[in-house]
Amino acid sequence: MTKLRLAIVGAGPAGIYAADILLKAERKFDVSIDLFEQLPAPYGLVRYGVAPDHPRIKGIITALRDVLDRGDIRLFGNVRFGEDITLEDLKKHYNAVIFATGAIRDTALDIPGVDAVASYGAADYVSWFDGHPDVPREWPLDAESVGVLGNGNVALDVARMLAKHAEDLLVTEVPENVYEGLKASRVTDVHVFGRRGPAQVKFTPLELRELGELRDVDMVVYDEDFDYDEASKDAVASNKQVMVIDRVLQSWRKRDSVNNAGGTASRRLHLHFWARPVEVRKDEDGRVAALVYERTQPDGQGGAIGTGELREVPMQALYRAIGYFGSPLPGVPFDKKHGVIPNREGQVLAKDSNQRVPGIYATGWIKRGPVGLIGHTKSDAMETVRHIINDQGSWWQPEDPSEDSIPALLEERGVKWTDLEGWHRLDEHEIALGAPQERARVKVVPREEMVRVSRGERTLGS
Ligand code: NAP
């Protein structure tokens, strides 16, 4: 029987769903799948993008683990595509490759002063609080007033993880260095800015409501933002999600604490709508001193237009949460404007010609852009997998499709890769670290330590 040797690059939800769907699909050939991951641990965004105080979403890991634990997918962690293994290698050893590398960088914001000291991309802060091995261990949280740009769920994650008291994270898997960093935070006011109105936000009701439940944090909303135009009124009346969001916000308007009118909490989380960022003002040391924004107004169709009125909010740090962006992969076509691999339903296309590039596929955020919840990645994977099955005639014909060739190649290159058994070891180690404090786990953060534990090598001091 014909066999498909498939490489998948990226062991986040997109890559694991694609592997699972292909293995379960009706097809006339055998399949063997190798999953490559640049980090020593799998699960991508679920481990390194979902906030530690969202255990329900982190729970998706259980379903992903079930897929890996079935044992029919080989995992090669700590292997960087483009360095440890290249597209040429994949062509030599596989019939096809799916890129499921996600989108982990921040979309750029082109306004004056955005390069100020303490002007951060949300993705970096998220990586820090989620214990990503490749960001510095320390995060400066010395600002009292902080701004967050954007009205999506990432903006709310960032705002919550800035406003929340560190002690309230101790029940979670928050890494030790993150807990210590947050404990030292001097924040009193977090200001979130949306360029459109309350009826046009991208965040979801559950995530908004959660802000109102933070201990010792007052929600502050401003009456002037709720003067709805017809399009906003229609959205509130016709869209259940918008209706719930409006209800939550209206309930905060009624609280004593709103509009700065006498809240008692030590921290405040302000939601500003109709605020388009215009400039980051710097102090004489080049640090963030204020955000200048233009007050906007509805354009009648759900969009916003400027009013010309400029306002300034003093702050000492600013986080941009205006969307993620994909990164180019060596040798693989890339659409620089949208931050995705150009593709038609997951079949990768040459950059300028729209011609298919045989053998190369994409799925997840690197395929469709950084929108949608984790579950949406499944239908995406189904589409890509259907094409791989139908494209049998155009698969690559590898020189050496043997399964042994990959460990041999990595060995020869001195790559310290980790496998599924190694992941189990690290997983158990993290769970054991959390046990004395009755926490689900405490994450190991340094890459070398993750690799050492996974490979069963002695840890420092042991
Ligand atoms: P998003 O939902 O697309 O939100 C991006 C926000 O940035 C929007 O409010 C957008 O405003 C704003 N924006 C974009 N460009 C801007 C600019 N130049 N100036 C000012 N504002 C700008 O993206 P995201 O928050 O990164 O989330 C990505 C995906 O992950 C979403 O599907 C999200 O739901 C999901 N996610 C889910 C969770 C969760 O379930 N808890 C957590 C995190 C992320 P406009 O709408 O006006 O363009």
Side-chain angles (χ1 to χ4, degrees), residues 295-350:
R295 178 87 181 153
T296 58
Q297 62 186 20
D299 68 357
Q301 279 143 36
I305 45 170
T307 62
E309 181 195 343
L310 295 183
R311 296 183 182 179
E312 199 169 309
V313 178
M315 59 186 65
Q316 302 82 46
L318 179 68
Y319 293 75
R320 303 177 303 276
I322 61 163
Y324 284 127
F325 206 76
S327 305
L329 295 155
V332 182
F334 188 67
D335 174 347
K336 274 193 206 145
K337 189 160 168 239
H338 302 101
V340 296
I341 298 177
N343 71 90
R344 196 184 301 119
E345 298 183 346
Q347 294 174 309
V348 172
L349 304 175

Short mmCIF file of all heavy atoms in Angstrom, two decimals, residues 295-350:
data_model
loop_
_atom_site.label_atom_id
_atom_site.label_comp_id
_atom_site.label_asym_id
_atom_site.label_seq_id
_atom_site.Cartn_x
_atom_site.Cartn_y
_atom_site.Cartn_z
N ARG A 295 -10.12 61.57 19.50
CA ARG A 295 -11.49 61.14 19.76
C ARG A 295 -12.15 60.83 18.41
O ARG A 295 -12.06 61.64 17.47
CB ARG A 295 -12.21 62.26 20.50
CG ARG A 295 -13.66 61.98 20.80
CD ARG A 295 -13.84 61.24 22.10
NE ARG A 295 -15.24 60.99 22.33
CZ ARG A 295 -15.72 59.99 23.04
NH1 ARG A 295 -14.89 59.13 23.62
NH2 ARG A 295 -17.00 59.84 23.20
N THR A 296 -12.77 59.67 18.28
CA THR A 296 -13.44 59.33 17.02
C THR A 296 -14.95 59.34 17.24
O THR A 296 -15.41 59.45 18.38
CB THR A 296 -13.00 57.95 16.50
OG1 THR A 296 -13.29 56.97 17.49
CG2 THR A 296 -11.52 57.91 16.17
N GLN A 297 -15.67 59.16 16.15
CA GLN A 297 -17.13 59.05 16.26
C GLN A 297 -17.61 58.05 15.22
O GLN A 297 -16.90 57.75 14.26
CB GLN A 297 -17.78 60.42 16.07
CG GLN A 297 -17.53 61.01 14.69
CD GLN A 297 -18.07 62.43 14.55
OE1 GLN A 297 -18.30 63.12 15.52
NE2 GLN A 297 -18.27 62.86 13.31
N PRO A 298 -18.83 57.52 15.41
CA PRO A 298 -19.31 56.51 14.47
C PRO A 298 -19.45 57.06 13.06
O PRO A 298 -19.80 58.23 12.90
CB PRO A 298 -20.68 56.12 15.04
CG PRO A 298 -20.90 56.89 16.27
CD PRO A 298 -19.77 57.80 16.50
N ASP A 299 -19.15 56.21 12.08
CA ASP A 299 -19.31 56.65 10.68
C ASP A 299 -20.66 56.20 10.12
O ASP A 299 -20.93 56.36 8.93
CB ASP A 299 -18.15 56.14 9.81
CG ASP A 299 -18.19 54.63 9.64
OD1 ASP A 299 -19.07 53.96 10.24
OD2 ASP A 299 -17.33 54.10 8.90
N GLY A 300 -21.49 55.63 10.97
CA GLY A 300 -22.83 55.21 10.54
C GLY A 300 -22.87 53.79 10.02
O GLY A 300 -23.94 53.21 9.82
N GLN A 301 -21.70 53.18 9.78
CA GLN A 301 -21.68 51.82 9.24
C GLN A 301 -20.86 50.86 10.10
O GLN A 301 -20.34 49.87 9.61
CB GLN A 301 -21.09 51.84 7.83
CG GLN A 301 -22.12 52.24 6.79
CD GLN A 301 -21.49 53.09 5.71
OE1 GLN A 301 -20.34 52.87 5.34
NE2 GLN A 301 -22.22 54.05 5.23
N GLY A 302 -20.71 51.22 11.34
CA GLY A 302 -19.94 50.33 12.23
C GLY A 302 -18.48 50.72 12.31
O GLY A 302 -17.73 50.16 13.11
N GLY A 303 -18.05 51.67 11.49
CA GLY A 303 -16.67 52.14 11.55
C GLY A 303 -16.55 53.42 12.36
O GLY A 303 -17.51 53.83 13.03
N ALA A 304 -15.36 54.02 12.32
CA ALA A 304 -15.16 55.25 13.09
C ALA A 304 -14.44 56.28 12.22
O ALA A 304 -13.60 55.92 11.39
CB ALA A 304 -14.32 54.96 14.32
N ILE A 305 -14.77 57.56 12.43
CA ILE A 305 -14.03 58.64 11.77
C ILE A 305 -13.52 59.60 12.83
O ILE A 305 -14.12 59.72 13.90
CB ILE A 305 -14.88 59.41 10.72
CG1 ILE A 305 -16.28 59.72 11.29
CG2 ILE A 305 -14.98 58.66 9.42
CD1 ILE A 305 -17.09 60.66 10.44
N GLY A 306 -12.42 60.26 12.53
CA GLY A 306 -11.83 61.18 13.50
C GLY A 306 -12.68 62.43 13.70
O GLY A 306 -13.38 62.86 12.79
N THR A 307 -12.59 63.00 14.91
CA THR A 307 -13.31 64.26 15.16
C THR A 307 -12.32 65.43 15.15
O THR A 307 -12.72 66.58 15.21
CB THR A 307 -13.98 64.25 16.56
OG1 THR A 307 -12.95 64.12 17.55
CG2 THR A 307 -14.97 63.11 16.70
N GLY A 308 -11.02 65.13 15.12
CA GLY A 308 -10.01 66.18 15.17
C GLY A 308 -9.64 66.56 16.59
O GLY A 308 -8.64 67.24 16.81
N GLU A 309 -10.42 66.09 17.56
CA GLU A 309 -10.12 66.45 18.96
C GLU A 309 -9.05 65.51 19.52
O GLU A 309 -9.22 64.29 19.53
CB GLU A 309 -11.41 66.30 19.79
CG GLU A 309 -11.19 66.66 21.25
CD GLU A 309 -12.34 66.18 22.16
OE1 GLU A 309 -13.44 65.86 21.66
OE2 GLU A 309 -12.10 66.11 23.37
N LEU A 310 -7.93 66.09 19.96
CA LEU A 310 -6.84 65.28 20.52
C LEU A 310 -6.90 65.31 22.04
O LEU A 310 -7.16 66.35 22.63
CB LEU A 310 -5.49 65.80 20.04
CG LEU A 310 -5.20 65.69 18.55
CD1 LEU A 310 -3.79 66.18 18.24
CD2 LEU A 310 -5.38 64.27 18.02
N ARG A 311 -6.64 64.16 22.64
CA ARG A 311 -6.61 64.08 24.10
C ARG A 311 -5.35 63.35 24.53
O ARG A 311 -4.77 62.60 23.74
CB ARG A 311 -7.82 63.31 24.63
CG ARG A 311 -9.14 63.98 24.32
CD ARG A 311 -10.27 63.19 24.94
NE ARG A 311 -11.57 63.77 24.61
CZ ARG A 311 -12.71 63.25 25.02
NH1 ARG A 311 -12.72 62.13 25.74
NH2 ARG A 311 -13.86 63.82 24.70
N GLU A 312 -4.97 63.52 25.77
CA GLU A 312 -3.72 62.92 26.23
C GLU A 312 -3.94 62.24 27.58
O GLU A 312 -4.56 62.83 28.47
CB GLU A 312 -2.71 64.06 26.40
CG GLU A 312 -1.30 63.58 26.43
CD GLU A 312 -0.32 64.76 26.32
OE1 GLU A 312 -0.44 65.58 25.41
OE2 GLU A 312 0.58 64.80 27.18
N VAL A 313 -3.48 61.01 27.70
CA VAL A 313 -3.57 60.32 29.00
C VAL A 313 -2.15 60.03 29.47
O VAL A 313 -1.42 59.28 28.79
CB VAL A 313 -4.38 59.00 28.88
CG1 VAL A 313 -4.43 58.27 30.22
CG2 VAL A 313 -5.78 59.27 28.38
N PRO A 314 -1.73 60.58 30.60
CA PRO A 314 -0.37 60.31 31.09
C PRO A 314 -0.22 58.84 31.47
O PRO A 314 -1.15 58.24 32.03
CB PRO A 314 -0.25 61.20 32.34
CG PRO A 314 -1.42 62.11 32.30
CD PRO A 314 -2.48 61.45 31.50
N MET A 315 0.90 58.26 31.16
CA MET A 315 1.18 56.86 31.52
C MET A 315 2.69 56.62 31.41
O MET A 315 3.40 57.40 30.79
CB MET A 315 0.42 55.90 30.61
CG MET A 315 0.73 56.04 29.14
SD MET A 315 -0.33 55.02 28.11
CE MET A 315 -1.94 55.73 28.38
N GLN A 316 3.14 55.55 32.03
CA GLN A 316 4.58 55.25 31.99
C GLN A 316 4.89 53.97 31.22
O GLN A 316 6.04 53.56 31.09
CB GLN A 316 5.16 55.14 33.40
CG GLN A 316 4.97 56.39 34.26
CD GLN A 316 3.59 56.45 34.90
OE1 GLN A 316 3.12 55.46 35.44
NE2 GLN A 316 2.95 57.60 34.84
N ALA A 317 3.86 53.29 30.74
CA ALA A 317 4.09 52.10 29.91
C ALA A 317 2.87 51.92 29.01
O ALA A 317 1.76 52.31 29.37
CB ALA A 317 4.28 50.86 30.78
N LEU A 318 3.12 51.34 27.83
CA LEU A 318 2.02 51.15 26.87
C LEU A 318 2.17 49.78 26.21
O LEU A 318 3.28 49.39 25.82
CB LEU A 318 2.08 52.25 25.80
CG LEU A 318 1.01 52.17 24.71
CD1 LEU A 318 -0.37 52.45 25.30
CD2 LEU A 318 1.29 53.18 23.60
N TYR A 319 1.07 49.06 26.09
CA TYR A 319 1.08 47.74 25.46
C TYR A 319 0.19 47.79 24.22
O TYR A 319 -0.96 48.21 24.30
CB TYR A 319 0.53 46.68 26.45
CG TYR A 319 1.43 46.47 27.64
CD1 TYR A 319 1.49 47.41 28.67
CD2 TYR A 319 2.24 45.33 27.73
CE1 TYR A 319 2.32 47.23 29.75
CE2 TYR A 319 3.08 45.14 28.82
CZ TYR A 319 3.11 46.09 29.83
OH TYR A 319 3.94 45.92 30.91
N ARG A 320 0.72 47.32 23.10
CA ARG A 320 -0.06 47.29 21.86
C ARG A 320 -0.65 45.90 21.67
O ARG A 320 0.09 44.94 21.46
CB ARG A 320 0.83 47.60 20.65
CG ARG A 320 1.56 48.92 20.73
CD ARG A 320 2.48 49.12 19.53
NE ARG A 320 3.47 48.07 19.34
CZ ARG A 320 4.63 48.00 19.97
NH1 ARG A 320 4.97 48.95 20.84
NH2 ARG A 320 5.48 47.01 19.73
N ALA A 321 -1.98 45.81 21.78
CA ALA A 321 -2.63 44.51 21.56
C ALA A 321 -3.57 44.64 20.38
O ALA A 321 -4.78 44.51 20.50
CB ALA A 321 -3.38 44.08 22.83
N ILE A 322 -2.99 44.95 19.22
CA ILE A 322 -3.82 45.26 18.05
C ILE A 322 -3.78 44.13 17.03
O ILE A 322 -4.07 44.32 15.86
CB ILE A 322 -3.42 46.61 17.42
CG1 ILE A 322 -1.96 46.58 16.94
CG2 ILE A 322 -3.63 47.75 18.41
CD1 ILE A 322 -1.63 47.69 15.97
N GLY A 323 -3.43 42.94 17.48
CA GLY A 323 -3.43 41.78 16.60
C GLY A 323 -2.06 41.15 16.48
O GLY A 323 -1.04 41.82 16.66
N TYR A 324 -2.07 39.85 16.23
CA TYR A 324 -0.82 39.11 16.01
C TYR A 324 -0.46 39.14 14.52
O TYR A 324 -1.27 39.56 13.68
CB TYR A 324 -0.99 37.66 16.48
CG TYR A 324 -0.94 37.47 17.98
CD1 TYR A 324 -1.95 36.81 18.66
CD2 TYR A 324 0.13 37.94 18.73
CE1 TYR A 324 -1.91 36.60 20.04
CE2 TYR A 324 0.19 37.74 20.10
CZ TYR A 324 -0.82 37.08 20.75
OH TYR A 324 -0.76 36.89 22.10
N PHE A 325 0.74 38.62 14.21
CA PHE A 325 1.22 38.63 12.83
C PHE A 325 2.11 37.40 12.63
O PHE A 325 2.90 37.07 13.53
CB PHE A 325 2.03 39.91 12.60
CG PHE A 325 2.07 40.36 11.17
CD1 PHE A 325 0.97 40.97 10.59
CD2 PHE A 325 3.21 40.17 10.40
CE1 PHE A 325 1.00 41.39 9.28
CE2 PHE A 325 3.25 40.59 9.08
CZ PHE A 325 2.14 41.20 8.52
N GLY A 326 1.99 36.74 11.49
CA GLY A 326 2.80 35.55 11.24
C GLY A 326 4.24 35.92 10.87
O GLY A 326 4.53 37.05 10.51
N SER A 327 5.14 34.95 11.00
CA SER A 327 6.56 35.17 10.67
C SER A 327 6.93 34.33 9.44
O SER A 327 6.46 33.21 9.30
CB SER A 327 7.46 34.73 11.83
OG SER A 327 7.06 35.38 12.99
N PRO A 328 7.81 34.89 8.58
CA PRO A 328 8.23 34.12 7.40
C PRO A 328 9.08 32.91 7.78
O PRO A 328 9.76 32.93 8.81
CB PRO A 328 9.05 35.13 6.60
CG PRO A 328 9.42 36.21 7.55
CD PRO A 328 8.43 36.20 8.68
N LEU A 329 9.01 31.88 6.96
CA LEU A 329 9.80 30.66 7.19
C LEU A 329 10.76 30.48 6.04
O LEU A 329 10.35 30.65 4.87
CB LEU A 329 8.85 29.45 7.25
CG LEU A 329 7.87 29.48 8.42
CD1 LEU A 329 6.62 28.67 8.10
CD2 LEU A 329 8.55 28.93 9.67
N PRO A 330 12.03 30.15 6.32
CA PRO A 330 13.03 30.06 5.25
C PRO A 330 12.59 29.12 4.12
O PRO A 330 12.21 27.97 4.37
CB PRO A 330 14.26 29.50 5.97
CG PRO A 330 14.06 29.83 7.42
CD PRO A 330 12.58 29.85 7.65
N GLY A 331 12.59 29.65 2.90
CA GLY A 331 12.29 28.85 1.71
C GLY A 331 10.80 28.71 1.41
O GLY A 331 10.41 28.10 0.41
N VAL A 332 9.95 29.27 2.28
CA VAL A 332 8.50 29.10 2.11
C VAL A 332 7.91 30.45 1.69
O VAL A 332 8.25 31.48 2.28
CB VAL A 332 7.87 28.62 3.45
CG1 VAL A 332 6.37 28.40 3.29
CG2 VAL A 332 8.57 27.37 3.96
N PRO A 333 7.00 30.45 0.68
CA PRO A 333 6.40 31.73 0.26
C PRO A 333 5.76 32.44 1.45
O PRO A 333 5.25 31.78 2.37
CB PRO A 333 5.33 31.32 -0.76
CG PRO A 333 5.73 29.96 -1.22
CD PRO A 333 6.49 29.32 -0.09
N PHE A 334 5.78 33.78 1.42
CA PHE A 334 5.21 34.54 2.54
C PHE A 334 4.56 35.81 2.03
O PHE A 334 5.11 36.49 1.16
CB PHE A 334 6.33 34.88 3.54
CG PHE A 334 5.82 35.49 4.83
CD1 PHE A 334 5.06 34.73 5.71
CD2 PHE A 334 6.08 36.82 5.14
CE1 PHE A 334 4.58 35.28 6.91
CE2 PHE A 334 5.60 37.38 6.34
CZ PHE A 334 4.84 36.60 7.22
N ASP A 335 3.38 36.10 2.54
CA ASP A 335 2.67 37.32 2.18
C ASP A 335 2.95 38.35 3.27
O ASP A 335 2.38 38.30 4.35
CB ASP A 335 1.16 36.98 2.08
CG ASP A 335 0.29 38.20 1.86
OD1 ASP A 335 0.79 39.33 2.02
OD2 ASP A 335 -0.88 38.02 1.52
N LYS A 336 3.85 39.27 2.95
CA LYS A 336 4.33 40.24 3.96
C LYS A 336 3.23 41.17 4.43
O LYS A 336 3.27 41.68 5.55
CB LYS A 336 5.43 41.12 3.34
CG LYS A 336 6.79 40.51 3.41
CD LYS A 336 7.81 41.59 3.05
CE LYS A 336 9.04 40.92 2.49
NZ LYS A 336 9.70 41.66 1.45
N LYS A 337 2.27 41.43 3.57
CA LYS A 337 1.22 42.39 3.92
C LYS A 337 0.29 41.79 4.99
O LYS A 337 -0.10 42.46 5.93
CB LYS A 337 0.44 42.73 2.66
CG LYS A 337 -0.50 43.86 2.86
CD LYS A 337 -0.90 44.50 1.53
CE LYS A 337 -2.07 45.43 1.79
NZ LYS A 337 -3.25 45.08 1.02
N HIS A 338 -0.04 40.53 4.83
CA HIS A 338 -1.01 39.93 5.75
C HIS A 338 -0.37 39.01 6.79
O HIS A 338 -1.07 38.51 7.68
CB HIS A 338 -2.08 39.15 4.95
CG HIS A 338 -2.81 40.02 3.97
ND1 HIS A 338 -2.51 40.02 2.63
CD2 HIS A 338 -3.77 40.94 4.17
CE1 HIS A 338 -3.29 40.92 2.03
NE2 HIS A 338 -4.05 41.48 2.93
N GLY A 339 0.92 38.76 6.65
CA GLY A 339 1.59 37.91 7.63
C GLY A 339 1.17 36.46 7.57
O GLY A 339 1.09 35.78 8.60
N VAL A 340 0.86 35.97 6.37
CA VAL A 340 0.45 34.57 6.22
C VAL A 340 1.24 33.91 5.08
O VAL A 340 1.89 34.61 4.29
CB VAL A 340 -1.07 34.44 5.90
CG1 VAL A 340 -1.91 34.96 7.06
CG2 VAL A 340 -1.42 35.16 4.61
N ILE A 341 1.15 32.58 5.00
CA ILE A 341 1.70 31.88 3.84
C ILE A 341 0.60 31.94 2.78
O ILE A 341 -0.53 31.51 3.04
CB ILE A 341 2.03 30.41 4.20
CG1 ILE A 341 3.10 30.34 5.30
CG2 ILE A 341 2.45 29.64 2.96
CD1 ILE A 341 3.42 28.92 5.76
N PRO A 342 0.89 32.48 1.57
CA PRO A 342 -0.18 32.56 0.57
C PRO A 342 -0.69 31.16 0.23
O PRO A 342 0.11 30.23 0.03
CB PRO A 342 0.51 33.21 -0.64
CG PRO A 342 1.97 33.13 -0.39
CD PRO A 342 2.18 32.96 1.09
N ASN A 343 -2.00 30.99 0.20
CA ASN A 343 -2.53 29.64 -0.02
C ASN A 343 -3.94 29.72 -0.55
O ASN A 343 -4.63 30.74 -0.41
CB ASN A 343 -2.51 28.85 1.29
CG ASN A 343 -3.53 29.36 2.29
OD1 ASN A 343 -4.68 28.90 2.32
ND2 ASN A 343 -3.16 30.35 3.11
N ARG A 344 -4.36 28.61 -1.17
CA ARG A 344 -5.76 28.46 -1.55
C ARG A 344 -6.26 27.24 -0.80
O ARG A 344 -5.80 26.13 -1.00
CB ARG A 344 -5.88 28.25 -3.07
CG ARG A 344 -7.29 28.48 -3.59
CD ARG A 344 -7.43 28.17 -5.07
NE ARG A 344 -6.54 28.96 -5.92
CZ ARG A 344 -5.60 28.42 -6.72
NH1 ARG A 344 -5.41 27.12 -6.75
NH2 ARG A 344 -4.85 29.21 -7.47
N GLU A 345 -7.13 27.46 0.16
CA GLU A 345 -7.68 26.39 1.00
C GLU A 345 -6.59 25.51 1.60
O GLU A 345 -6.73 24.30 1.70
CB GLU A 345 -8.67 25.54 0.20
CG GLU A 345 -9.86 26.34 -0.29
CD GLU A 345 -10.89 25.49 -1.01
OE1 GLU A 345 -10.59 24.33 -1.36
OE2 GLU A 345 -12.00 25.99 -1.21
N GLY A 346 -5.45 26.13 1.92
CA GLY A 346 -4.38 25.37 2.57
C GLY A 346 -3.31 24.87 1.62
O GLY A 346 -2.23 24.46 2.05
N GLN A 347 -3.59 24.89 0.31
CA GLN A 347 -2.55 24.54 -0.67
C GLN A 347 -1.70 25.78 -0.88
O GLN A 347 -2.24 26.83 -1.29
CB GLN A 347 -3.18 24.14 -2.01
CG GLN A 347 -4.01 22.87 -1.97
CD GLN A 347 -4.71 22.64 -3.30
OE1 GLN A 347 -5.38 23.54 -3.82
NE2 GLN A 347 -4.59 21.46 -3.84
N VAL A 348 -0.42 25.68 -0.63
CA VAL A 348 0.44 26.87 -0.68
C VAL A 348 0.66 27.32 -2.14
O VAL A 348 0.80 26.50 -3.04
CB VAL A 348 1.78 26.60 0.05
CG1 VAL A 348 2.77 27.72 -0.16
CG2 VAL A 348 1.49 26.41 1.55
N LEU A 349 0.64 28.65 -2.30
CA LEU A 349 0.81 29.24 -3.64
C LEU A 349 2.13 30.00 -3.70
O LEU A 349 2.57 30.57 -2.70
CB LEU A 349 -0.33 30.23 -3.91
CG LEU A 349 -1.75 29.68 -3.79
CD1 LEU A 349 -2.76 30.83 -3.97
CD2 LEU A 349 -2.01 28.60 -4.83
N ALA A 350 2.72 30.04 -4.89
CA ALA A 350 3.94 30.83 -5.08
C ALA A 350 3.59 32.29 -4.82
O ALA A 350 2.45 32.71 -5.02
CB ALA A 350 4.48 30.66 -6.49
#
